[in-house]
Amino acid sequence: MSSLACSPIDRISMARHQRWDPQPPFTQNRAVIAKPHRLCDQNLKGLHSPLTPRLDRRASAEASMEQLQSGLGGLGLTVSTVPEKGRCLLTTRDIHPGEVIISEEAYVCVPNNSSSEWRCEGCFTSRNLKKCSACHVVWYCGSQCQKSEWKFHRFECDALSKLDKERRKSITPSIRLMLKLYIRRKLELENIIPASAMSNYKLVEALVSHMSDIDEKQLVMYAQMANLVNLILQWPDIEIKEIAENFSKFACNAHTICDSELRPLGTGLYPVISIINHSCLPNSVLVFEGRSAVVRAVQHIPKAAEVLISYVETARSTMTRLKTLKEQYLFACKCPRCIKVGQYDDIQESATLEGYKCKNNGCDGFLLRDSDDKGFICQQCGLSRSKEEIKKIASEIKSLSDKALMSEASHHSQEAISAYKKIENLQRKLYHHYSISLMQTREKLLKMLMELEDWNEALYYCRLTIPVYQRLYPGFHPLLGLQYYTCGKLEWLLGDTENAVKSLTNAVDVLRLTHGTNTSFMKDLLLKLDEARAEASYKLSSQDE
């Protein structure tokens, strides 16, 4: 059926409802263990010091890295070591924008199932699911996915089936990811699954764990989770300390698997792609095609340059990004953006994104605290705002936010929307028009209005976000492309074909770089653009007649 003939809900299909959170689901789920076991002293012994591999493991890891170098050579890549950064991925040839740099199948992965949402173990779909009749933990959409996963699940299923019902409730995605890691290792050792230069357990062993940088509370949590994994598997050749170290590796190296519209589906470990370092000004982007991770260049990368992706949301102030990277990934970023922290341009950027607006509506200036700490002064026109005024508006926003959240929890959508509209109106008075907080409120309204199929109002708020996205993100960022896509679909649905063509064209210009052109998502987008152009051409010719 042509998209022109589809129902409104099919045509708009609920484009991205939430911003991609690059924090691995592991760190979101790692604290969720219903009944942690009591710890023995031996379980924590040695966890504070780096876990030094045995000499034979070290020699084996070095041999594995040599094999990896050989595999990467055919892709025009090499692994190198850089002072203060450790391992990194370098190019051995020029790479052009939109070109696939590297693609990697997940070494292990799991869907992000919860008590209220389930996904197929094989393809991560949420449709037509049936629970495994033996373990009652894993779900499948059909026999094909069940058969493809059976080599893994037969071991996991046997172990999970022995747990009582209450214990099974404590099996989070991160626990299952660890179970599958050790099952994968077992299958490799028994030659049931072949190891290759680009996919083997020794590459997991080579990942950085940052165990020496973790505080006591986190170490205890890892030990608790390691105890649970050990209890489930009951394999004598696994040590608690090794499992705990691997949990720390997950926190630093696991990736959120997303669909083409950057909605999170699951968690996966990609040992080779994990070598790629972070920059707040990346030259590449990581997207997913099914369960495969694909890194594409978004700008020209010359020979001998480092391949860089972003680990965190880049639309934040430098101080916020630095704090997030330190807390989640345990390093201090020294990219071209972050080394400017404290400089005038960086202060201006931070005050614009996370600060207050000038009282003069005709002024686009940013505010900084005055010397007496009694208020804030516009750096462009000199007008001041008192702390009392700002606190009053902020207090009103907080009160309305609490009401909105309560309405959402009670599924009173119209009440929630009304509250968020009032919040948005107050934020316009308080924050700079490029404020991240203001943009997030508009995103929230966009999501809720689309769910209610209020397309006109949804388009209104979507259009308000576009200039902010253009300001916050580089021209090649997938989130910018997806926002153009959402706007274009809404415009086309409402009959504004001319603007729909412009928005969908903008979306294609960005997303063909980040997503390629061969995925079903991009083929559907290109088809929509062709149909919108045909419709616009027909309307134009009808007017001429």
Side-chain angles (χ1 to χ4, degrees), residues 168-419:
R168 288 181 204 174
K169 292 180 180 179
S170 67
I171 308 301
T172 62
S174 44
I175 294 293
R176 291 201 55 235
L177 193 65
M178 187 62 70
L179 294 174
K180 294 185 78 170
L181 178 67
Y182 281 99
I183 292 170
R184 172 83 187 233
R185 186 180 75 168
K186 175 183 175 67
L187 295 174
E188 276 187 19
L189 290 173
E190 296 176 358
N191 294 319
I192 296 173
I193 292 181
S196 68
M198 299 282 285
S199 181
N200 61 80
Y201 186 78
K202 293 179 179 62
L203 295 175
V204 178
E205 290 181 330
L207 293 174
V208 176
S209 67
H210 290 290
M211 285 293 280
S212 60
D213 300 321
I214 298 169
D215 61 29
E216 189 74 24
K217 182 179 179 181
Q218 197 63 56
L219 287 169
V220 170
M221 184 61 66
Y222 290 156
Q224 290 174 331
M225 298 176 80
N227 259 322
L228 181 55
V229 170
N230 192 49
L231 174 72
I232 294 169
L233 289 177
Q234 297 185 11
W235 291 351
D237 59 336
I238 303 178
E239 297 178 356
I240 295 289
K241 290 191 293 184
E242 180 190 355
I243 302 173
E245 183 182 17
N246 279 332
F247 272 123
S248 187
K249 288 179 179 179
F250 282 1
C252 302
N253 296 283
H255 287 84
T256 301
I257 299 172
C258 299
D259 66 10
S260 294
E261 296 185 51
L262 303 188
R263 293 173 292 209
L265 304 176
T267 308
L269 189 64
Y270 300 84
V272 180
I273 284 177
S274 291
I275 297 171
I276 301 175
N277 285 319
H278 163 85
S279 174
C280 300
L281 278 175
N283 54 22
S284 311
V285 64
L286 171 63
V287 295
F288 292 87
E289 296 177 6
R291 305 192 320 187
S292 297
V294 181
V295 178
R296 283 189 175 85
V298 291
Q299 63 189 60
H300 175 251
I301 306 176
K303 180 179 178 181
E306 184 177 2
V307 177
L308 298 163
I309 60 175
S310 176
Y311 294 179
V312 299
E313 170 63 88
T314 56
R316 293 289 186 272
S317 69
T318 301
M319 289 301 296
T320 300
R321 294 195 316 274
L322 286 169
K323 183 175 183 290
T324 302
L325 288 164
K326 189 65 176 176
E327 290 176 353
Q328 291 183 20
Y329 300 99
L330 304 172
F331 71 88
C333 183
K334 295 182 179 178
C335 75
R337 286 184 72 186
C338 289
I339 60 173
K340 294 180 180 179
V341 63
Q343 296 179 15
Y344 181 82
D345 287 349
D346 179 66
I347 293 171
Q348 179 178 1
E349 179 77 356
S350 299
T352 300
L353 299 183
E354 299 177 359
Y356 307 115
K357 67 172 290 186
C358 180
K359 287 175 67 173
N360 179 1
N361 290 329
C363 178
D364 195 37
F366 65 98
L367 275 61
L368 296 178
R369 288 183 187 274
D370 61 23
S371 56
D372 298 328
D373 196 26
K374 293 181 179 180
F376 298 83
I377 298 177
C378 177
Q379 302 303 295
Q380 183 166 306
C381 71
L383 202 63
S384 63
R385 294 191 77 171
S386 68
K387 290 176 71 174
E388 287 72 20
E389 178 194 0
I390 287 172
K391 283 182 179 179
K392 183 176 182 296
I393 299 175
S395 177
E396 291 180 56
I397 291 172
K398 175 66 169 64
S399 177
L400 284 167
S401 296
D402 292 340
K403 290 179 181 178
L405 290 172
M406 289 178 62
S407 297
E408 277 191 274
S410 304
H411 304 289
H412 296 152
S413 299
Q414 292 293 353
E415 290 181 10
I417 288 171
S418 177

Side-chain angles (χ1 to χ4, degrees), residues 473-506:
Y473 295 110
F476 51 75
H477 201 287
L479 285 177
L480 175 61
L482 288 170
Q483 202 70 352
Y484 285 137
Y485 177 48
T486 302
C487 196
K489 288 198 292 183
L490 285 165
E491 288 165 337
W492 189 23
L493 174 70
L494 293 168
D496 188 356
T497 314
E498 184 178 349
N499 281 318
V501 169
K502 292 177 183 177
S503 295
L504 292 174
T505 300
N506 287 336

